[in-house]
Amino acid sequence: KVKLFSEDGKPLRFWHIGRVGEICVKGKTVMKGYMVGGQLKRDNFYGDWMRTGDLARKRLFGFTFVGREKDRLKVGGYSVFPAEVEAELRAHPDIEDAVVFPIPHEVKGELPLAAVKLREGASLTEEALMEWIKNNIAPYKAPRKVVFVPEFPRNLTLKVLRTELSNQYRHLAAEFQ
């Protein structure tokens, strides 16, 4: 069984359409917890429901995946889901791929930045892309700066290393303080 839960551990109901919750699973093949020092730990459970760390937006029928809990950015009290912003950036005809990652900010907590890989032959400038972002992405989740990269840092399973990007471009945070 699969169900969405709010941050306070309560199931999302049919009237919560549009809200984001954590995907939780329950069933005979789902583990009961973690054994730590001979003790059963159930830190990642809401009752019998195991928390997956995946987030989804409630729809009328089912839900839509929005990203991982650990990837969520907190921007001045708003939750920004990199997967949603990346999908919006990929809608630009000159962008092949995009990765959104956080940099620290003294007031807002975090700010979203984007690393973008252009399609072959594209000649998009940062100014032109920032103007497009201003017209196509909500202000609270819009990347504050875009960097163009030839490739993204990846691990052995080809997953993009957001933390490495965040560390590599952390110095840009000074521009926004």
Side-chain angles (χ1 to χ4, degrees):
K1 297 179 183 178
V2 178
K3 195 180 274 191
L4 292 183
F5 280 77
S6 64
E7 288 182 21
D8 60 359
K10 295 188 172 114
L12 294 184
R13 304 293 183 195
F14 69 90
W15 59 84
H16 292 129
I17 292 173
R19 285 200 37 207
V20 172
E22 185 173 4
I23 300 171
C24 296
V25 294
K26 175 181 174 181
K28 292 180 182 179
T29 59
V30 175
M31 64 186 216
K32 302 289 183 203
Y34 291 101
M35 289 298 288
V36 179
Q39 296 290 322
L40 182 65
K41 299 285 184 180
R42 296 181 46 86
D43 299 341
N44 62 329
F45 281 79
Y46 290 135
D48 290 337
W49 292 87
M50 186 180 87
R51 301 170 61 191
T52 65
D54 294 321
L55 300 174
R57 187 174 310 281
K58 181 90 169 132
R59 299 286 181 219
L60 182 59
F61 298 105
F63 51 83
T64 305
F65 179 78
V66 295
R68 299 275 301 150
E69 172 66 38
K70 68 179 185 175
D71 292 337
R72 178 189 348 211
L73 281 70
K74 289 291 192 172
V75 181
Y78 291 100
S79 289
V80 175
F81 304 101
E84 288 183 334
V85 180
E86 291 161 2
E88 291 172 357
L89 287 167
R90 285 187 204 107
H92 190 288
D94 290 338
I95 294 177
E96 182 178 315
D97 203 0
V99 175
V100 174
F101 56 93
I103 59 167
H105 188 266
E106 290 177 7
V107 176
K108 295 193 179 267
E110 295 177 313
L111 291 178
L113 264 65
V116 172
K117 180 179 178 185
L118 296 179
R119 294 189 190 284
E120 192 172 320
S123 59
L124 186 64
T125 65
E126 183 180 357
E127 294 78 24
L129 182 53
M130 291 306 291
E131 185 64 29
W132 183 88
I133 286 170
K134 193 163 109 178
N135 294 321
N136 291 280
I137 299 178
Y140 74 94
K141 64 180 178 176
R144 302 314 192 264
K145 184 165 182 67
V146 175
V147 293
F148 295 99
V149 296
E151 294 296 328
F152 299 110
R154 297 181 184 271
N155 65 14
L156 293 174
T157 62
L158 301 180
K159 183 176 178 182
V160 174
L161 300 171
R162 288 179 201 279
T163 305
E164 191 171 312
L165 282 169
S166 189
N167 290 337
Q168 184 176 349
Y169 294 104
R170 182 175 292 275
H171 67 278
L172 296 175
E175 293 180 28
F176 303 101
Q177 301 302 341

